[in-house]
Amino acid sequence: MIYFVTMIMSALELRDHLRRNRFADYQDIITSPIAPGVSIVAPAFNEGQNIVQNAKSLLSLHYGKFEVIIINDGSKDDTLEKLIEAFELEKTSYAYNYQIDCKPVRGIYKSRNESFSKLTIIDKENGGKADALNSGINIASKEIIACIDVDCILSHESLTRMVRPFMEETNRKVIAVGGVIGIANNCDVQDGTVTKYRVPTSLLGRFQVIEYFRAFLMGRMAWTRINGLMLISGAFGFFNRELVLAVGGYFPKTVGEDMELVVRMRRYMEENKIPYKVGFVPDPLCWTEVPENESVLSRQRNRWIRGTIETLQLHKSVRFNPKYGVMGMLSYPYWSVFEKSAPIIELLGLLYTFILIIIGDFSAFYFIALYAMLYLLSLLVTSFSILYEQIAFNNYKEKNDLKKLIFTVLVEPFIIHPKVVFWGLKGHIDFIKGKGGWGQMIRTGFKKSEDRKNFEAETNS
């Protein structure tokens, strides 16, 4: 029933969003004198291979008042040197104010070339993503902070579309806005823009496409409708800078810093009885590369579950607390059961089934009927998320792409879902052991399918 309600709410929210934006002219926001300024904050660690292209892509975004702050988080490669050479940077005597604690800053660089006046580079000691973001927030000068992964590809309209929710609300304060993350694996990328959509060649890649559809177009759209959204993706999120400073910035001691910050901001607003909203824009404005290697994907999912557990434990006073409204009574319990505890519940269900078989209290007919119902429910939910994408945006226009996605939907519960459950269980075990850190996330870069095959062959050899 919860999934059915989620499907209905997300459909209604997506419909309303499309109606509101049907005749919207986003050029008005670019030229508007009351449009808020945006500080793009992008941490970089060992990104020397693509850092120059990524920085140029950010500088080319269509918006009036924005700045780009790239943080070299103690890179061990030539990330800083390439930036200095490409953008004619020189070290400044900028007086850095540690409003939020972070690792020591070694230098702040600006360009001698006026064409790159919007670019600021921070060179600091390595402290991790959250610490790097805090150092960028300290120096940001605009009203809105856009926290992104430096290797993401942003649409030229991404800033105008993401700031619009901040400008629309009059009775509530918009504290944060999230956006859809698209998967760029196997897509054609030219001049920092996705020019041709294709589904990934691997089954793992296609699984993540439909998983992202479910998470963004179904899950987060539904929570946005009742203002219960607790998570904004760390790869692409916009925040009210004043409030971020008020709550103390990102918490570096968790691997789920994106979710933890949103929950802390919501708590601040609830405790101070200030009307607020966490918004979400379903337009495909940001693309990233997802892991198609099983070991890399397992580390990512391990980190996600550990970050979820950490956040829920840090803010356990919210649970079933009417003081925190929708977040306390609905969002927190939902995340506790459907996200945090799901792998454990599924394992217990499997063990219980084995026990029934052993003691002879097992009905094969009932088991098959129940399993068939759950399988068909899974197909229904996932198919509707693909339908939402096709109706609203229709990025995957080739029939073969849709056939591949439908095939993935059919086999996912048997082939991939058990692995996801196992990775989630391992995340619980690693959390109990006190394991921290992100783990190494290996990226091949935005290559076409043939280039990626060659890259993987070279890597394996």
Side-chain angles (χ1 to χ4, degrees), residues 203-263:
L203 184 63
L204 277 180
R206 294 195 296 272
F207 152 70
Q208 291 171 86
V209 170
I210 61 176
E211 184 186 43
Y212 278 38
F213 286 168
R214 284 195 302 254
F216 291 107
L217 295 180
M218 187 164 290
R220 296 187 191 178
M221 287 298 289
W223 285 112
T224 302
R225 191 160 187 86
I226 59 173
N227 195 24
L229 194 59
M230 279 178 57
L231 172 63
I232 286 176
S233 175
F236 187 51
F238 284 47
F239 302 90
N240 180 286
R241 179 176 182 268
E242 181 184 3
L243 183 57
V244 172
L245 290 174
V247 301
Y250 284 92
F251 184 50
K253 294 183 179 179
T254 176
V255 294
E257 73 287 329
D258 43 8
M259 180 181 179
E260 196 281 328
L261 176 63
V262 175
V263 174

Side-chain angles (χ1 to χ4, degrees), residues 274-340:
I274 304 172
Y276 72 97
K277 178 183 178 180
V278 177
F280 185 76
V281 177
D283 303 321
L285 302 172
C286 174
W287 295 269
T288 188
E289 179 192 3
V290 297
E292 295 185 70
N293 179 283
E294 200 167 291
S295 62
V296 179
L297 183 60
S298 68
R299 289 195 293 270
Q300 182 196 65
R301 298 313 160 97
N302 184 303
R303 174 172 59 84
W304 284 4
I305 196 72
R306 283 187 286 119
T308 299
I309 298 169
E310 288 172 351
T311 298
L312 294 176
Q313 288 206 350
L314 283 169
H315 300 281
K316 57 187 177 182
S317 60
V318 171
R319 180 176 52 212
F320 290 117
N321 190 337
K323 174 183 176 181
Y324 295 103
V326 174
M327 179 175 68
M329 301 304 292
L330 291 178
S331 302
Y332 190 104
Y334 178 92
W335 275 84
S336 297
V337 176
F338 285 80
E339 301 294 337
K340 172 190 170 184

Side-chain angles (χ1 to χ4, degrees), residues 11-12 81 113 122 186 214 223 230 274 288 294 351 393 428 435 456 460:
L12 293 173
E81 289 73 18
N113 189 333
I122 300 176
N186 200 37
R214 284 195 302 254
W223 285 112
M230 279 178 57
I274 304 172
T288 188
E294 200 167 291
L351 294 176
F393 309 112
H428 276 272
K435 179 181 177 180
E456 290 174 349
N460 293 333

Side-chain angles (χ1 to χ4, degrees), residues 148 152-155 158 180-183 235-236 283-288:
I148 70 166
C152 283
I153 300 172
L154 298 185
S155 162
S158 58
V180 169
I181 306 297
I183 293 178
F236 187 51
D283 303 321
L285 302 172
C286 174
W287 295 269
T288 188

